[in-house]
Every structure is written in C-alpha cells, then in structure tokens.
Amino acid sequence: MATAQPTARQAAVPPPAVPATEPAPAAPAAGPTSTPTLIGSVQRALHLLEAVSDHPDGAPAKQLAREAGLPLPTAYHLLRTLTHEGYLRREQGVFVLGAAAGRLGRGRPGQVRSEMITETMERWRDTLGVAVYFGVYRDGEIEVTALTQSSAHPAVEEWADFRETAHAHAIGQCLLSQLDTGSRLDHLDRYPVEAITPYTVRDCSSLLERLAAVERMQTVKERQEYVLGSACAAVPITIGPTAAVMAISVPLAQEARLGPAIERLRGEIGEVVRSLMFSISI
C-alpha cells in the first residue's frame, strides 16, 4: 500500500519541542548509501556452476556460456579454472559437477569421508579405466552404496536385484565369503541360489564349496555369472564387524585388463583406508 504524502500545511507544522532536560538526538550525517563491492569473476563462476548443476549428464561449453549469459572465451577460461580446482569435471566433451562442488555445504565428518572416498573411486575409474563399486553387508542385506562410472567405462546393468543375486556376482560372493557360516546360510535361505545365466553356480552346495575355498581377504572374480558379456572382481575389506568390498568390472572383451587392475587396486586400498579413515556410512 502506498504511503500517503503529507500536505503542504502538514509539512509546514514544526515538530514538537524537546524538553530542555532531554537533549535532541543528533541527526544522522548525510552521505551516499553504501553499496557492496561485487567481484564480477566470482559472480560469473557461480553462474556457470548453477548452469552445470542443471545438467546432471553434463553440457558443452557453448551451451553453458549461453545459459550463464557469458562470452564464450570468458566461459572457457572459467571452466578451465573450475575444472582445475575440482569443482567441475570434463567427460566426453561435456562438463559435470566435480567432487569439490559436492563438498560445498558439507556437514558431518562421515559425509566428508564419504565424499573423499567417492573422489578416490573416481580417480581409480579414470586411471584404471574401469567402473568401480563399493558394497557392504549390513543388516542382513547386500548394499552397493557407491558407484563411479562414465560413458567410456559403464557399470554393469543391474537387471536382476543385486540383493537377491549375491551368489551370482563378485560383490555378493566376496561379501558372503566374509560372513560366518550361520549368517551365510541365513542369507542363502532367504535368497536361494538360482542360475540367471548359463555360467551361474547351479546350486547352494556348489556355492558353499566355492566360498569355503576362498581364503581370508582373497580377491573374488566372476565371469558372465551375473550378466553375459562382463567380468568382475571384488577385493574384501573388513571394517570392524562389517564386511565390505571394493569391486571393478570390465567388458568381457577386455577381461585381460581385469587382473592387473584389481592388483593395483588391492595395493592402494590399504593406504586409502588408513589415510582417509574409511567410513561405511557412505
């Protein structure tokens, strides 16, 4: 609602006198209204981050420049800087949010550790050229709690529920091998062994024999047991009473790369667990 303007008569009436015992308050000094100092480059970088966040699958530089209202050369410069600092990643010619962007506004220490582990998994994905998975056995269930993949290194499609097919994939077999006999039998009683490809183990007794032969902390591999055309391997990780695994997968045509990649992964996991205080609450 608009404020009524005083009439000329009202404006001419002086304000009531202030008693002598109370000195009149000093009038505020006249001066220009202060304005905040804005950093244009910061504003432009933030606009670019907002534009990237609108595209979960990524967007090319020209599209981001247009959406952020920036000249293309300026956008290229800022995109390179944000990528160098880890706030963006460039994949197959498009830009997506990086791990550093995910740490903005982070809170709990467990969340921080989770983000650091995800960042490490992304590095393994890029350097080893594989999809990387992290799974745990929690409350009687198989959980794949983190996955890093890319268009060049896609993950195995979960066409059959991972929780119900632990007998058929490396993640599940590796987790089951870490359980005590009672917990293992309980799981297989709830999720019976069923062949889902021609290469899947055929029955519970055969699976139990295989798991019994797995030595403590031994890598578990499977070839086309969960899905045709893929090979996977999982490294066991024991965190207190919790069974966990780090796993990788490759297309069957690249199976020869699986062994060297998993051995390099095994060599680095121990240091990662110690240095990053690995958290299962990922």
Side-chain angles (χ1 to χ4, degrees), residues 174 177-178 213-221 234-236 266:
C174 191
S177 72
Q178 298 179 63
V214 176
E215 299 179 3
R216 178 173 172 77
M217 306 311 289
Q218 179 181 338
T219 298
V220 174
K221 299 179 181 179
V235 177
R266 281 188 66 95

Side-chain angles (χ1 to χ4, degrees), residues 222-239:
E222 65 91 358
R223 183 178 187 271
Q224 301 195 100
E225 294 183 48
Y226 176 75
V227 63
L228 296 177
S230 71
C232 305
V235 177
I237 307 169
T238 301
I239 309 169

Side-chain angles (χ1 to χ4, degrees), residues 39-258:
I39 308 300
S41 58
V42 175
Q43 290 180 306
R44 291 188 287 271
L46 292 174
H47 292 163
L48 270 178
L49 285 174
E50 290 174 352
V52 174
S53 69
D54 289 336
H55 301 280
D57 296 326
K62 289 184 179 180
Q63 181 179 354
L64 294 172
R66 183 173 63 254
E67 294 179 1
L70 300 176
L72 187 57
T74 301
Y76 272 127
H77 177 73
L78 291 172
L79 288 169
R80 283 195 299 268
T81 302
L82 291 169
T83 300
H84 179 269
E85 296 299 323
Y87 291 96
L88 298 178
R89 294 197 320 273
R90 189 172 186 180
E91 297 180 353
Q92 305 296 310
V94 299
F95 291 88
V96 296
L97 292 178
R103 291 197 294 270
L104 295 174
R106 66 191 182 185
R108 298 175 294 115
Q111 180 183 352
V112 175
R113 289 194 294 270
S114 298
E115 291 163 354
M116 296 174 73
I117 288 299
T118 300
E119 188 173 350
T120 302
M121 291 174 62
E122 290 172 349
R123 176 174 59 81
W124 283 332
R125 176 201 61 201
D126 296 336
T127 58
L128 301 178
V130 295
V132 185
Y133 314 73
F134 175 66
V136 297
Y137 194 83
R138 184 157 45 201
D139 298 328
E141 300 291 346
I142 302 287
E143 296 183 25
V144 177
T145 57
L147 164 64
T148 57
Q149 62 175 327
S150 66
S151 57
H153 312 299
V156 171
E157 180 183 359
E158 187 181 356
W159 72 277
D161 194 326
F162 277 148
R163 295 171 299 177
E164 300 177 4
T165 56
H167 62 281
H169 48 75
I171 292 174
Q173 292 177 22
C174 191
L175 289 171
L176 290 176
S177 72
Q178 298 179 63
L179 303 181
D180 59 66
T181 301
S183 299
R184 189 180 300 166
L185 292 174
D186 173 73
H187 184 93
L188 295 176
D189 182 59
R190 289 182 288 116
Y191 301 113
V193 173
E194 294 181 329
I196 59 176
T197 79
Y199 301 93
T200 308
V201 63
R202 292 299 175 183
D203 52 60
C204 185
S205 60
S206 298
L207 176 66
L208 291 173
E209 289 180 7
R210 179 190 297 185
L211 295 177
V214 176
E215 299 179 3
R216 178 173 172 77
M217 306 311 289
Q218 179 181 338
T219 298
V220 174
K221 299 179 181 179
E222 65 91 358
R223 183 178 187 271
Q224 301 195 100
E225 294 183 48
Y226 176 75
V227 63
L228 296 177
S230 71
C232 305
V235 177
I237 307 169
T238 301
I239 309 169
T242 302
V245 298
M246 196 73 75
I248 61 176
S249 66
V250 296
L252 189 63
Q254 302 177 24
E255 186 179 10
R257 298 177 48 245
L258 189 64

